């Protein structure tokens, strides 16, 4: 008998990221036999939403333009699935929040 994958990364917020950031956003992890990762929602990897990529083998979340064309602070809620070599799954809900500094707000005093 094989156990389901077990998430090492706690559910909830993975952090606040500057809007339009480029680079590694976060890394998620789960234990099990040859665990892979996938998104079950269409928010994290959607180009018109969080605009991120998820490495299915490592759990690394990256972006070339976090939040895409949005200039409004936004919380992106999404669900990731860990799947082991036996096809057993475990889902977990996460969020990432974009922020924009006042220096880039377009405000004139």
């Amino acid at each position: 008998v094989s156990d389901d994958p077990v998430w090492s990364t706690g559910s909830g917020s993975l952090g606040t990221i500057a809007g339009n950031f480029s680079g590694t956003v976060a890394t998620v992890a789960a234990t099990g036999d040859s665990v892979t990762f996938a998104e079950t929602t269409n928010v994290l990897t959607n180009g018109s939403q969080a605009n991120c990529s998820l490495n299915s083998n490592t759990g690394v979340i990256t972006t070339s333009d976090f939040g895409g064309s949005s200039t409004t602070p936004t919380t992106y809620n999404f669900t990731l699935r860990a799947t082991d070599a036996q096809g057993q799954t475990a889902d977990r809900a996460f969020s990432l929040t974009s922020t924009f500094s006042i220096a880039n707000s377009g405000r004139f005093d």
Side-chain angles (χ1 to χ4, degrees):
V1 175
S2 173
D3 292 331
D4 293 347
V6 176
W7 282 97
S8 306
T9 306
S11 63
S13 176
L14 294 175
T16 300
I17 310 298
N20 307 119
F21 170 79
S22 178
T24 299
V25 174
T27 302
V28 296
T31 59
D33 184 23
S34 301
V35 174
T36 59
F37 302 94
E39 181 182 9
T40 64
T41 50
N42 187 25
V43 175
L44 179 67
T45 57
N46 187 323
S48 64
Q49 293 196 32
N51 194 38
C52 293
S53 297
L54 172 65
N55 184 305
S56 62
N57 294 313
T58 64
V60 174
I61 301 168
T62 58
T63 184
S64 60
D65 184 9
F66 185 67
S69 61
S70 175
T71 56
T72 303
T74 304
T75 298
Y76 300 99
N77 296 298
F78 54 95
T79 301
L80 299 182
R81 175 170 289 160
T83 304
D84 68 13
Q86 290 75 39
Q88 300 171 118
T89 63
D91 293 354
R92 182 149 286 183
F94 297 104
S95 67
L96 286 166
T97 302
S98 65
T99 185
F100 293 87
S101 71
I102 194 137
N104 296 324
S105 69
R107 180 177 168 198
F108 295 97
D109 289 325

